[in-house]
Amino acid sequence: MSWDFGKLSVRDLGDLRKTNVEFGIPLLRELHSSGIIPVLLGGSDHLFRAQYLAFGELNRQINLLHIDRRIALSPAAAQKEVLDTAVYRQGTKKSFHLFHLGAQQHLVDPAIRTQMAATSQEYVRLGAAKAAPEELEPLIRDADLAGMNIGAINHLEAPARSGFTPSGFTLHEASQLAYYAGNSDKLSSFGLYGFNPEGKSDTEVELTASAYAQLVWYFLHGIARRQGDFPVSTRGLMEYVVDLPEYHRLTFWRSPKSNRWWVQVPAKKYRGEERHRLIACSYGDYQKATNDHFLSDRLLMAFRRHG
């Protein structure tokens, strides 16, 4: 593939000698502390737990993005996301917020959706995500780390994986999501999972490997075009104050470099780290607040989460 990443430095660190979660944590923690963005490629997405745990040892609050056709929860314990369970086994209790993209409604128990809404975890089903992919950019921009399962892509474009589900994102759409993730100055870790060549033809394996390569290319393409926006720096952001009855005054911020928008959690409601003080939003969110005097459900949920 072409090199379109400017002076971005990319290195292949090889294969992990062991693929268990505990083995990957020290390596990922060292990469994070050195300012290096790891890109993990694998079969099982259990290393997504390692991504979370390694990052959790350095930061108190973490936003996670998971892209998959299913939500990895059991209905009986939907309030305990599988990553949370792993954290408690490790003896650390770190708060986090979960964004989930691409779950197919017929594959998700209603109890899981209900519990996620009750705990202010964000869930965007496949149909809604495909209908307005540009609206996913602010959500992805709020994530600290991301994991994408190849099963979120329709079977024809990535057939070397477990199970058979014909629906999903197109590879083009998934590449756009990978670009959004790479282009976010906040995101510090990316994993691509789900590859399973067992019982597949050479053509199916090669096609899926090519899909992996394309997704990584667009992630790197996004990194190479980062603008140094929040949370790297708030310098140069333009301030817009909107009067809303419930909040009296609400402050929006826009970056002239990237034309991206954030909204500031009201001071009386905010609790948490500085890098979560501004919530990524869209120009449409600002217009709704200015012209219609209301906030989107996503921003209301974020304010409740920080309150």
Side-chain angles (χ1 to χ4, degrees):
M1 294 184 175
S2 66
W3 182 269
D4 192 19
F5 314 130
K7 296 181 179 179
L8 182 68
S9 178
V10 180
R11 296 290 184 271
D12 179 6
L13 299 184
D15 298 335
L16 286 173
R17 291 189 293 108
K18 300 177 182 179
T19 58
N20 59 302
V21 172
E22 291 75 16
F23 187 81
I25 293 173
L27 170 63
L28 294 174
R29 184 177 62 240
E30 183 173 348
L31 293 174
H32 289 320
S33 61
S34 301
I36 298 172
I37 301 173
V39 179
L40 290 87
L41 308 178
S44 170
D45 59 3
H46 70 278
L47 282 178
F48 189 35
R49 295 182 180 182
Q51 284 183 262
Y52 169 71
L53 293 171
F55 200 80
E57 293 186 7
L58 300 175
N59 296 283
R60 181 173 58 84
Q61 293 177 316
I62 307 164
N63 289 342
L64 301 99
L65 169 67
H66 197 205
I67 304 172
D68 198 356
R69 66 179 183 270
R70 296 180 182 272
I71 300 177
L73 298 170
S74 65
Q79 72 279 12
K80 291 286 187 181
E81 206 276 338
V82 64
L83 295 171
D84 194 29
T85 303
V87 172
Y88 283 108
R89 281 206 306 269
Q90 294 294 328
T92 58
K93 298 183 179 181
K94 306 288 185 181
S95 61
F96 72 94
H97 178 60
L98 174 66
F99 307 99
H100 194 285
L101 295 182
Q104 299 177 28
Q105 193 162 348
H106 55 280
L107 300 178
V108 180
D109 191 288
I112 295 175
R113 299 197 299 268
T114 299
Q115 188 58 42
M116 288 190 72
T119 54
S120 297
Q121 308 299 326
E122 295 187 55
Y123 153 68
V124 182
R125 60 182 178 82
L126 177 65
K130 289 173 71 70
E134 67 281 355
E135 293 298 319
L136 302 177
E137 188 278 331
L139 185 150
I140 294 173
R141 188 165 19 112
D142 258 343
D144 293 298
L145 58 91
M148 179 186 294
N149 192 296
I150 202 75
I153 298 172
N154 71 67
H155 193 273
L156 289 176
E157 294 186 276
R161 85 280 187 101
S162 300
F164 186 91
T165 50
S167 302
F169 289 112
T170 66
L171 185 57
H172 172 78
E173 292 166 337
S175 297
Q176 184 68 57
L177 301 182
Y179 174 83
Y180 286 154
N183 197 231
S184 168
D185 288 284
K186 194 173 185 181
L187 194 130
S188 301
S189 179
F190 183 72
L192 188 56
Y193 305 109
F195 185 79
N196 183 9
E198 186 175 350
K200 306 297 181 180
S201 68
D202 290 345
T203 300
E204 290 174 320
V205 171
E206 291 176 8
L207 181 60
T208 308
S210 295
Y212 258 57
Q214 180 171 320
L215 291 166
V216 172
W217 191 94
Y218 277 97
F219 178 73
L220 297 177
H221 192 60
I223 292 178
R225 282 152 182 78
R226 288 186 174 185
Q227 297 291 328
D229 291 331
F230 183 82
V232 175
S233 174
T234 56
R235 181 179 300 175
L237 295 186
M238 299 186 68
E239 181 180 6
Y240 298 80
V241 178
V242 178
D243 290 323
L244 284 179
E246 184 177 353
Y247 300 100
H248 300 294
R249 294 186 123 192
L250 203 58
T251 303
F252 286 82
W253 299 86
R254 182 179 68 85
S255 168
K257 293 185 293 185
S258 64
N259 206 32
R260 295 188 295 195
W261 288 78
W262 291 263
V263 61
Q264 185 171 320
V265 178
K268 293 182 179 180
K269 292 180 174 289
Y270 181 70
R271 56 179 175 80
E273 296 178 3
E274 184 68 13
R275 64 197 179 88
H276 296 303
R277 179 175 62 90
L278 302 186
I279 299 168
C281 65
S282 66
Y283 176 56
D285 289 318
Y286 168 71
Q287 287 183 308
K288 288 177 183 177
T290 303
N291 301 326
D292 302 327
H293 302 291
F294 77 91
L295 298 177
S296 66
D297 291 340
R298 177 173 178 266
L299 294 185
L300 289 173
M301 183 184 298
F303 286 0
R304 287 197 300 269
R305 189 166 66 246
H306 288 288

